[in-house]
Amino acid sequence: MPNSSNHKVLLQAARGEKTTHIPLWLMRQAGRYLPEYREYRSRHDTLTMFKTPTIASEITLQPLRRFPLDGAIIYADILLIPDAMGIPLSFIEKEGPRFAHPVRTAADLKILEQNAANLDSVINQLSYVGETVSRVKSHLNPDVTLIGFAGAPFTVASYLIEGRGPSKNDFFETKKLIFNQPQLFHTLMECLTEVTMAYLDMQIAAGIEIVQLFESWSGALAPTHYREFCLPYMQKIIKHAQKKVPAICFMGQGAGLISDVLALKPNVFGVDWRQDLGKVANQFHGSKIALQGNLDPLLLYSNQDVLQKNLDACLEQGTAHPHGYIFNLGHGCTPETPIESVKFVVDRVKSFKRTTA
Ligand code: CP3
């Protein structure tokens, strides 16, 4: 038993098995809502923190010292892949991620293509993530599951094409490129897919037990375009990762893609807060896919009665799914989240008992 991961509740739920309690972790469980995180941030910039394994492993472990979470997610970012492929990334205060130059032409793409052809060198550049994984692993309580991740290629591509996070002019450059230069977009997706698969392999070799793919912007495209331009790449990555570990597919604003997620067959579907979890559970009934989610992260700013009512409803809906349920928020914890609310949620999830049969 001690050497196997069979007893870890998060992995049991991901396999569709019954668990002694509802396993939980929170997207962005490490971050600015924790004073101990802000203390590090006051001394280092974000990119340095991601790239320094002693710091990144400490940040990964911080939320686990406060709360009995069932998963630890490696402190890293989905945009570190393009950074390692020759498009320098920075994080601008109060603005977010920014690339040194956007990728919009065949000439811009060249550097990414050359790097994708030299996989070992790109993965070597990202070896600090592997080192963070090993460090976290050696400090982790044996009941806690170590979660790795990558961005889905469309979400990463959209940041690269826009050069930053999407603004009011939502995904204008991304869609222009998809519709006017489809071949160029496909080449970009191919490059990101190859590197993402190798990157996940590296994380798994270092000790990762389950991976999550973040498709935060799946709702940015009409479903027909998502199917044509993005889904085959997602499928390839999920199948590849599943040869070694279970895969969670998180779809932000993905309500239009339910039948596609069923066809993708991830081990776990990460449901965003905009969806009705009960309805999703009905649609996934009979599938071999577990569910994860999906409390609106902003409910953690409400009073305890409102939070409890909504949390209990979420847990009733999630546990109604017969093939595994993992509690999570329906998107990341925000920087001002009250710590007492996180504590309340964690305790309530851990002690939850279904009222209905
Ligand atoms: O969930 C975790 O705790 C693990 C670490 C993690 C981070 N980013 C750390 C981070 C994960 C899984 C991500 C994924 C990520 N990064 C996504 C997909 C998930 C989502 O939120 O939709 C996206 C789109 C990004 C890109 C990104 N990185 C943005 C938009 C930002 C700025 C956001 C902000 O709050 O300012 C980042 C920076 C970032 N990544 C921070 C953290 C903790 C904030 C850094 C800081 O200022 O301290």
Side-chain angles (χ1 to χ4, degrees), residues 77-82 148-157 159 192-193 195-197 199-200 203 212-216 233-234 237 250:
D77 198 83
I78 64 164
L79 302 178
L80 296 171
I81 283 186
F149 71 92
F154 170 67
T155 293
V156 176
Y159 275 93
L192 291 173
T193 299
V195 176
T196 302
M197 290 190 299
Y199 177 56
L200 292 176
Q203 293 185 24
Q212 174 154 317
L213 283 156
F214 284 90
E215 186 68 291
S216 304
Y233 302 102
M234 262 311 243
I237 297 169
F250 172 75

Side-chain angles (χ1 to χ4, degrees), residues 62-283:
Q62 281 180 347
L64 286 115
R65 296 202 186 99
R66 277 188 186 260
F67 317 113
L69 298 155
D70 297 292
I73 181 159
I74 290 300
Y75 181 70
D77 198 83
I78 64 164
L79 302 178
L80 296 171
I81 283 186
D83 182 67
M85 293 171 81
I87 317 285
L89 171 70
S90 53
F91 289 94
I92 313 286
E93 211 54 53
K94 299 202 165 47
E95 226 188 88
R98 172 89 62 89
F99 284 108
H101 40 89
V103 173
R104 294 176 191 166
T105 65
D108 298 335
L109 189 59
K110 257 271 126 21
I111 184 163
L112 287 166
E113 282 185 277
Q114 282 163 353
N115 275 292
N118 200 351
L119 265 186
D120 288 351
S121 152
V122 177
I123 298 307
N124 196 35
Q125 293 238 31
L126 289 161
S127 61
Y128 56 86
V129 176
E131 226 179 284
T132 300
V133 174
S134 312
R135 281 180 170 272
V136 173
K137 186 104 182 164
S138 66
H139 288 95
L140 209 58
N141 171 327
D143 294 333
V144 176
T145 299
L146 193 47
I147 307 166
F149 71 92
F154 170 67
T155 293
V156 176
S158 68
Y159 275 93
L160 267 173
I161 299 165
E162 302 293 329
R164 55 163 81 192
S167 57
K168 279 199 206 82
N169 215 343
D170 262 358
F171 300 95
F172 182 54
E173 297 295 339
T174 307
K175 291 191 184 184
K176 259 195 334 194
L177 192 92
I178 292 177
F179 298 143
N180 295 319
Q181 302 185 76
Q183 200 44 54
L184 202 151
F185 182 77
H186 277 300
T187 307
L188 171 58
M189 293 291 277
E190 274 161 28
C191 291
L192 291 173
T193 299
E194 287 310 309
V195 176
T196 302
M197 290 190 299
Y199 177 56
L200 292 176
D201 285 345
M202 181 265 275
Q203 293 185 24
I204 295 163
I208 285 297
E209 298 167 293
I210 187 168
V211 295
Q212 174 154 317
L213 283 156
F214 284 90
E215 186 68 291
S216 304
W217 301 122
S218 64
L221 296 181
T224 178
H225 300 135
Y226 189 84
R227 274 170 211 134
E228 178 178 354
F229 291 99
C230 311
L231 208 60
Y233 302 102
M234 262 311 243
Q235 182 71 82
K236 194 168 176 191
I237 297 169
I238 287 174
K239 270 203 170 135
H240 181 83
Q242 282 175 326
K243 288 182 200 152
K244 294 174 180 158
V245 296
I248 308 169
C249 171
F250 172 75
M251 290 283 198
Q253 311 183 27
L257 296 166
I258 289 291
S259 58
D260 303 282
V261 176
L262 280 162
L264 272 177
K265 296 194 173 56
N267 301 81
V268 184
F269 174 34
V271 185
D272 92 291
W273 60 266
R274 294 169 186 82
Q275 300 218 46
D276 180 333
L277 189 60
K279 198 169 151 203
V280 175
N282 280 336
Q283 288 162 310

